[in-house]
Amino acid sequence: MFGLPKKVEFCSRCTLSNQRPVPVAEFKTKKISKKKGNVINKDLVCNACKFADFKANYINWDKRETELIKLCDKYRSKGNNEYDCIVPGSGGKDSRYASYILKYKYGMNPLTVTWAPHIYTDIGKKNMDSWTEHVDNYLVTPNKNVQRKLSKEAFLNLLHPFQPFVFGQRFAAIKVAMKMKIKLIFHGESPFEYGVSNLKEANSNGFNQYYFCGSQKLNDIYLGGKNVNSLILKYNFRKSDLLHYFPIDKKELKKFKINYKFLGYYLNWNPQEIFYYVSKKTGFLPNPERTEGTYSKYASLDDKMDGFHYYTSFIKFGLGRATMDTSQEIRNGLLDRNEGIDLVKKYDGEFPEKYFEEVLNYMDIKKDLFWKTINKFRPKHLWVKRKSKWQLKHTIYEKK
Ligand SMILES: [Zn+2]
């Protein structure tokens, strides 16, 4: 259904499988490098784990930091009060850390740009407030009526209720940068570390700015699995209602030469250390209770829809939030693989009950239709119905 490999295989290092729509896990048995005899044979190892090895063994972090300082020197506004860079984010731990160290350690004057969540959680709101105790922020809030309808379409047509949000968020910072003529943007961790087909790409230091470009013709643009023209007709939208979600015109962007970098390329990005740092220095609050679907308390907390993003991924790919969290913590040496597998067994795919009613109301979907849609998107090679209960055919814990 999503072009997934029919045979489910798990990484021998972490808890990921090869069932992802992006080539997160390319299961090959190559050596990383002959240089230090770092042999990974026979076992299946995903690219994210291979890249973690590469990062641990072959990167000179002092040299990388020097590169960062050089880059900052080139763009620094030198106290004339103009913003010299943008940090996109929601005030979660990564964007907080990025903006805080850029400002207080590297002497930059960052503007933070937030694409508003669908429905704020209390903790998300508190964190947003305390973030702006330290940095300036532009909050981009789309028309909620439009966002809600797009999320519903994306849920029904793609089982991806977050897709319109992802588009809005992807383009928000670069659109603000163009308007304000700010030429440097810092993303935290490289998104390619977990979703690439080769190490070279994983090791890239930023986005090519044309990554954000696309056709401006309405016939070519799709949102929530539907062509934009059909959405305009169905909901009586205006084109201007949807501009947030459109890609950027290549010709237009060419004039700006925006440098979109990953701070995680320059600095060794350890999520747990970052969590401690932002808690201590910036008043970041974790969830008071365990987040549904996983064991952790400190990632993706600001949107009541978050749990449904992970739950729908679990249905489509058999990989839930606990899989994502454990695979990362295993790579960072915080868990061993067996501990990770136990946590996956315990929490992966747990239904996000807490905000269920609110999310149904938000998308204007009845419970029946919700479950009908969920079941429609279960790939046959992943799911089986036994005694009127849906079960995954292959799990990492059955093989342990
Ligand atoms: Zn792995």
Side-chain angles (χ1 to χ4, degrees):
M1 192 183 276
F2 303 100
L4 306 174
K6 284 280 166 289
K7 192 177 173 207
V8 180
E9 294 182 283
F10 292 92
C11 175
S12 62
R13 300 275 194 88
C14 71
T15 48
L16 274 186
S17 81
N18 57 348
Q19 303 292 307
R20 289 291 304 265
V22 287
V24 141
E26 188 202 7
F27 287 78
K28 282 189 180 165
T29 54
K30 272 186 206 155
K31 295 172 183 180
I32 289 182
S33 161
K34 286 176 183 159
K35 208 170 101 194
K36 286 192 182 171
N38 196 351
V39 180
I40 303 163
N41 270 329
K42 290 174 192 160
D43 291 331
L44 299 167
V45 177
C46 77
N47 269 346
C49 284
K50 282 191 221 164
F51 188 65
D53 274 356
F54 173 78
K55 259 173 88 174
N57 291 308
Y58 300 108
I59 292 177
N60 179 337
W61 291 109
D62 290 339
K63 209 173 135 202
R64 289 266 174 109
E65 192 188 18
T66 310
E67 278 179 54
L68 173 65
I69 292 167
K70 238 171 145 179
L71 178 70
C72 289
D73 285 347
K74 190 175 160 196
Y75 289 92
R76 194 177 286 111
S77 63
K78 298 179 184 83
N80 64 9
N81 229 8
E82 283 185 24
Y83 299 119
D84 45 28
C85 62
I86 283 180
V87 176
S90 62
K93 66 181 185 8
D94 288 333
S95 49
R96 261 175 127 88
Y97 179 71
S99 58
Y100 196 89
I101 57 164
L102 282 167
K103 181 162 184 175
Y104 296 103
K105 187 169 178 191
Y106 299 105
M108 300 296 282
N109 189 20
L111 171 66
T112 65
V113 174
T114 302
W115 175 254
H118 302 87
I119 324 167
Y120 264 114
T121 59
D122 293 343
I123 199 89
K125 240 189 190 132
K126 277 184 192 157
N127 278 329
M128 189 69 204
D129 274 351
S130 65
W131 192 27
T132 51
E133 294 283 334
H134 303 278
V135 290
D136 293 1
N137 179 265
Y138 277 22
L139 177 63
V140 184
T141 308
N143 178 324
K144 287 200 172 117
N145 185 34
V146 174
Q147 172 85 44
R148 186 177 288 140
K149 290 188 167 104
L150 295 177
S151 304
K152 177 180 181 172
E153 288 288 338
F155 176 77
L156 295 176
N157 303 322
L158 307 168
L159 200 67
H160 187 4
F162 253 67
Q163 191 230 36
F165 174 95
V166 169
F167 284 176
Q169 187 185 48
R170 179 182 299 164
F171 304 130
I174 198 154
K175 286 179 179 175
V176 171
M178 286 164 76
K179 282 203 177 79
M180 298 188 67
K181 299 188 173 56
I182 299 170
K183 290 187 184 302
L184 183 60
I185 304 177
F186 278 111
H187 194 84
E189 209 171 13
S190 160
F192 295 138
E193 282 194 23
Y194 308 112
V196 290
S197 49
N198 61 64
L199 292 182
K200 196 176 160 229
E201 201 181 357
N203 199 27
S204 61
N205 66 3
F207 287 115
N208 178 322
Q209 68 169 354
Y210 300 120
Y211 177 82
F212 300 93
C213 296
S215 168
Q216 303 297 298
K217 288 183 199 143
L218 293 189
N219 263 339
D220 296 339
I221 303 175
Y222 282 77
L223 270 170
K226 291 277 177 206
N227 181 262
V228 160
N229 278 324
S230 72
L231 293 172
I232 288 175
L233 278 176
K234 182 172 177 182
Y235 293 109
N236 211 8
F237 289 149
R238 299 172 195 182
K239 183 186 165 193
S240 58
D241 290 332
L242 301 172
L243 289 177
H244 283 304
Y245 307 93
F246 288 6
I248 294 161
D249 183 17
K250 198 168 180 178
K251 265 194 240 139
E252 200 48 38
L253 188 58
K254 222 171 185 170
K255 299 176 204 156
F256 289 89
K257 292 204 173 56
I258 291 170
N259 231 332
Y260 205 136
K261 297 297 186 194
F262 306 137
L263 211 47
Y265 169 86
Y266 300 98
L267 305 167
N268 201 352
W269 206 259
N270 181 316
Q272 186 142 10
E273 277 171 29
I274 286 171
F275 166 65
Y276 290 130
Y277 185 96
V278 293
S279 303
K280 208 171 133 200
K281 302 246 185 190
T282 74
F284 175 70
L285 297 171
N287 235 352
E289 56 200 27
R290 180 180 67 79
T291 308
E292 289 166 308
T294 188
Y295 55 97
S296 79
K297 293 183 171 184
Y298 58 75
S300 289
L301 308 171
D302 44 297
D303 196 327
K304 290 185 179 176
M305 288 272 275
D306 276 337
F308 290 86
H309 177 53
Y310 289 96
Y311 187 73
T312 50
S313 298
F314 177 68
I315 298 299
K316 289 180 289 186
F317 316 122
L319 302 170
R321 195 166 189 166
T323 297
M324 295 300 136
D325 289 347
T326 51
S327 64
Q328 196 181 46
E329 294 205 344
I330 291 167
R331 262 174 244 127
N332 289 323
L334 298 168
L335 289 176
D336 70 31
R337 188 167 182 269
N338 281 334
E339 289 169 323
I341 291 173
D342 289 341
L343 290 165
V344 169
K345 187 176 181 183
K346 204 162 172 191
Y347 297 119
D348 222 31
E350 180 186 21
F351 187 71
E353 196 64 56
K354 195 170 166 187
Y355 301 123
F356 187 32
E357 291 293 333
E358 253 175 288
V359 165
L360 287 177
N361 282 338
Y362 177 84
M363 293 196 293
D364 188 25
I365 287 176
K366 297 260 186 306
K367 232 178 222 177
D368 277 4
L369 181 59
F370 178 88
W371 286 112
K372 228 174 111 185
T373 310
I374 291 279
N375 291 333
K376 191 175 101 183
F377 278 93
R378 293 181 195 267
K380 284 196 173 58
H381 73 293
L382 293 183
W383 292 94
V384 63
K385 206 173 187 180
R386 286 191 191 116
K387 291 180 190 159
S388 71
K389 237 184 129 183
W390 285 103
Q391 283 179 341
L392 278 173
K393 286 184 181 171
H394 311 279
T395 60
I396 195 165
Y397 39 89
E398 94 204 313
K399 300 194 171 195
K400 193 180 150 185

